[in-house]
Amino acid sequence: MTVRVAVDALGGDRGPDEIVEGALLAAGTGIEPVVYGPARLDTRGLAHVEAGEAIEMDESPVDAVRAKPGSSLVRAVRAVAGGEAQAVVSTGSTGAMLAASLLHVRRLPGVLRPGIAVVLPARRGPSVLIDAGANADARPEHLLQFAHMGSLFAQEILGVAEPGVRLLSIGEEPEKGSQLALEAHELLRASTLRFEGNTESKRLLEGDADVVVTDGFTGNVALKALEGAILTTLLSLREELESSARGRLGGLLIRPGARRLRDRLDPEAHGGAYLLGLRGLVVIAHGSSSRVAVANAIRLAALGVEHDVVGRLEERLSSVAARPDPAASGSAAAQARTEH
């Protein structure tokens, strides 16, 4: 089975050539990247669809998606909607990817809001954080669906047979948290999920839950705090080890362990995050992604296709009752309140 992955070449901070290099790394072994970018782009034998217009990070996501239907991001997303590709990967604006996906790929039946599922490099093994930024505002029933999405992700992608789910809050006690957290806690406790109660942000890298569910605002803040803390810690350790002869000697002794730790905490290991709840597979990668991260994001997209994540999610959510979402009939603007 060969998986065709549409790749937006104009979204990354490092330029389209870096995206192409990542696509080349991922090509083969059942993966066929299709690069969407300007005509001048040298794709070195990869399939190439000309799309020279870019959506910039400072543009309004919904307005840009509507005003630039020929942009590389929109064309790549539309390839999934039209069946020309089975998945799409972009390092561009998260808001634009959300808006374009809602407009063209559309939600699965019964899905209230799509959610971004990110793999956290926890000490006890990788876990899933959802929602990591798609929905700044959410309701309790949204979090219930996110929990089902994250649970399926953990089963199909991380290989966890019976994922445990926890709710991110300000305390482990069930009576602690915002009104959203309190109501979501009750829904999760009454669900068929393996709900294990609340967890705090200080436990995210410990890995006491296979799935951590929260709203997109809280999830995005927590994710970026973790990324910043990890980067600062690793850089500070490196500076200390290089500051003296004794430090350099110690660095030689701990180098193997330090490399293993760095590799485990490296956000580029998985390359991207699934935008779950859509009729097609959408992967959002970080804007600063290197070619290695882009390649891993493409591989992650292909893995999701191979495991039929979309079909399995549709089957699971069809059995989950949820109240109608008044915002569902509104514009994509109401659902694209997210950071770039």
Side-chain angles (χ1 to χ4, degrees):
M1 173 184 178
T2 299
V3 180
R4 288 173 61 89
V5 181
V7 181
D8 168 23
L10 294 181
D13 299 340
R14 305 191 186 200
D17 290 336
E18 188 74 5
I19 306 296
V20 170
E21 291 296 334
L24 287 166
L25 287 175
T29 61
I31 301 175
E32 181 185 354
V34 181
V35 178
Y36 286 72
R40 60 173 175 77
L41 191 61
D42 181 9
T43 59
R44 291 158 56 186
L46 294 176
H48 179 202
V49 176
E50 183 177 347
E53 195 170 24
I55 292 180
E56 305 297 338
M57 289 291 188
D58 59 354
E59 292 186 84
S60 165
V62 175
D63 293 343
V65 165
R66 289 174 173 166
K68 297 180 174 181
S71 65
S72 58
L73 185 151
V74 175
R75 290 285 303 276
V77 169
R78 286 171 56 194
V80 174
E84 300 161 28
Q86 292 152 289
V88 57
V89 171
S90 176
T91 57
S93 162
T94 298
M97 279 295 286
L98 176 60
S101 298
L102 285 168
L103 181 62
H104 297 292
V105 181
R106 307 183 72 80
R107 289 173 296 183
L108 285 169
V111 169
L112 303 175
R113 300 284 179 88
I116 295 177
V118 173
V119 177
L120 299 179
R123 188 173 68 85
R124 299 179 186 175
S127 61
V128 183
L129 174 68
I130 182 171
D131 176 23
N135 304 278
D137 299 305
R139 298 210 308 272
E141 53 267 38
H142 299 155
L143 269 60
L144 176 61
Q145 282 200 341
F146 296 158
H148 279 280
M149 294 177 186
S151 183
L152 181 71
F153 181 105
Q155 287 178 318
E156 295 297 325
I157 305 302
L158 301 183
V160 181
E162 297 181 11
V165 177
R166 288 188 182 271
L167 176 67
L168 187 61
S169 189
I170 59 172
E172 295 184 3
E173 299 83 355
E175 65 273 11
K176 285 190 175 181
S178 65
Q179 191 62 33
L180 171 63
L182 295 175
E183 294 182 23
H185 188 281
E186 291 302 310
L187 289 180
L188 289 165
R189 188 173 64 175
S191 73
T192 57
L193 293 161
R194 186 182 151 199
F195 181 54
E196 299 174 333
N198 292 349
T199 190
E200 298 179 72
S201 56
K202 67 181 181 181
R203 304 282 297 175
L204 288 176
L205 288 183
E206 185 64 22
D208 61 344
D210 301 306
V211 180
V212 178
V213 62
T214 186
D215 62 277
F217 180 87
T218 304
N220 195 264
V221 170
L223 178 64
K224 290 183 176 176
L226 288 178
E227 289 176 345
I230 290 171
L231 179 60
T232 300
T233 300
L234 292 177
L235 288 176
S236 297
L237 176 61
R238 180 178 177 181
E239 289 171 358
E240 286 295 323
L241 293 175
E242 294 178 348
S243 64
S244 66
R246 180 178 295 180
R248 287 191 290 273
L249 177 60
L252 290 174
L253 296 175
I254 68 169
R255 180 175 293 174
R259 283 179 173 170
R260 288 193 297 271
L261 177 63
R262 181 196 62 193
D263 291 343
R264 181 172 67 79
L265 295 177
D266 188 356
E268 296 197 338
H270 288 90
Y274 287 149
L275 181 58
L276 295 176
L278 300 168
R279 296 174 186 261
L281 203 63
V282 175
V283 172
I284 299 172
H286 202 286
S288 62
S289 294
S290 68
R291 63 190 63 183
V292 172
V294 171
N296 286 336
I298 294 171
R299 294 183 185 114
L300 181 68
L303 185 63
V305 173
E306 292 167 2
H307 282 256
D308 190 23
V309 167
V310 172
R312 295 289 303 278
L313 190 58
E314 181 176 13
E315 180 182 347
R316 171 174 291 206
L317 293 181
S318 66
S319 63
V320 179
R323 295 191 299 271
D325 182 6
S329 59
S331 68
Q335 299 179 49
R337 299 176 203 159
T338 184
E339 293 190 74
H340 295 146

